Amino acid sequence: MDVKVADLPGIGKKMTFYTAQGNMIVLVTHHTGKRELYFFQEPDDDEPDFSMELMSNETRELGAQLLGAIFQPVDSDQMKLFRSKVIVEWIELQESSLFAGKTIGDSEVRKKTGVSVVGVFRNNEVIASPDVNERLEPGDTIMVIGKKSQIALFEEMAEGEG
């Protein structure tokens, strides 16, 4: 990426970014703190294809996200290793299960099996990322994540065999 910076007397600074794909992004930072972003498909165009104004706090948040403050992509080799070790499975909870009628916390699913409950499907309703107070009911389909051996143990207990 090629970056050029220029002073805009009485206004602030202009930063022009040329991407590897041949696009151009222009950031104008005003002395007042206001930021303007302009996107050009073709750097020679007179008018931007898209523009937007950002407040200083929005610009900081965007910058933090671009730097990977919240999410860092995983190397593909690491992802292959992760996928080979971790499984996501959907298992129906039987009436005879030790977990039936108890909350996730009270049933100590993670402590007893090692899996994490990441979803509950009940009566065509999805409960994503349920908290520890979510009651597990017979007939629920529980989405769990863990190692193969942990999933097998949870499955046994969900069927009432463990």
Side-chain angles (χ1 to χ4, degrees), residues 7-75:
D7 287 322
L8 298 174
I11 297 173
K13 291 235 183 237
K14 174 183 171 184
M15 290 181 234
T16 306
F17 305 88
Y18 297 94
T19 69
Q21 289 82 23
N23 307 110
M24 182 174 72
I25 302 168
V26 176
L27 171 64
V28 176
T29 304
H30 294 254
H31 293 299
T32 62
K34 179 174 90 170
R35 272 86 164 171
E36 297 172 327
L37 274 175
Y38 300 94
F39 301 89
F40 296 84
Q41 287 285 0
E42 300 293 329
D44 295 334
D45 288 349
D46 292 332
E47 294 291 321
D49 295 298
F50 178 76
S51 66
M52 63 189 302
E53 282 187 25
L54 297 169
M55 301 304 296
S56 59
N57 62 330
E58 294 170 322
T59 306
R60 279 191 296 279
E61 180 65 25
L62 179 60
Q65 297 307 321
L66 289 171
L67 285 171
I70 301 296
F71 174 75
Q72 282 287 331
V74 177
D75 176 308

Side-chain angles (χ1 to χ4, degrees), residues 91-107:
I91 299 165
E92 186 174 338
L93 201 64
Q94 302 299 314
E95 186 90 30
S96 58
S97 172
L98 298 173
F99 305 133
K102 296 180 183 175
T103 66
I104 294 170
D106 289 342
S107 63

Side-chain angles (χ1 to χ4, degrees), residues 25-159:
I25 302 168
V26 176
L27 171 64
V28 176
T29 304
H30 294 254
H31 293 299
T32 62
K34 179 174 90 170
R35 272 86 164 171
E36 297 172 327
L37 274 175
Y38 300 94
F39 301 89
F40 296 84
Q41 287 285 0
E42 300 293 329
D44 295 334
D45 288 349
D46 292 332
E47 294 291 321
D49 295 298
F50 178 76
S51 66
M52 63 189 302
E53 282 187 25
L54 297 169
M55 301 304 296
S56 59
N57 62 330
E58 294 170 322
T59 306
R60 279 191 296 279
E61 180 65 25
L62 179 60
Q65 297 307 321
L66 289 171
L67 285 171
I70 301 296
F71 174 75
Q72 282 287 331
V74 177
D75 176 308
S76 62
D77 289 338
Q78 288 178 322
M79 196 62 189
K80 286 176 189 172
L81 178 65
F82 179 75
R83 284 186 188 142
S84 70
K85 303 280 184 195
V86 177
I87 299 171
V88 176
E89 190 64 69
W90 296 262
I91 299 165
E92 186 174 338
L93 201 64
Q94 302 299 314
E95 186 90 30
S96 58
S97 172
L98 298 173
F99 305 133
K102 296 180 183 175
T103 66
I104 294 170
D106 289 342
S107 63
E108 298 182 316
V109 171
R110 186 175 181 129
K111 184 177 178 183
K112 291 178 180 175
T113 67
V115 302
S116 293
V117 175
V118 294
V120 177
F121 301 96
R122 177 184 303 135
N123 301 325
N124 294 323
E125 179 187 347
V126 176
I127 304 165
S129 300
D131 71 17
V132 294
N133 297 315
E134 185 63 43
R135 186 170 302 283
L136 302 176
E137 301 295 339
D140 286 352
T141 299
I142 313 298
M143 182 180 182
V144 293
I145 186 169
K147 295 178 183 176
K148 193 174 188 175
S149 60
Q150 295 168 327
I151 299 284
L153 180 57
F154 177 82
E155 191 167 21
E156 285 178 20
M157 295 179 85
E159 292 173 358

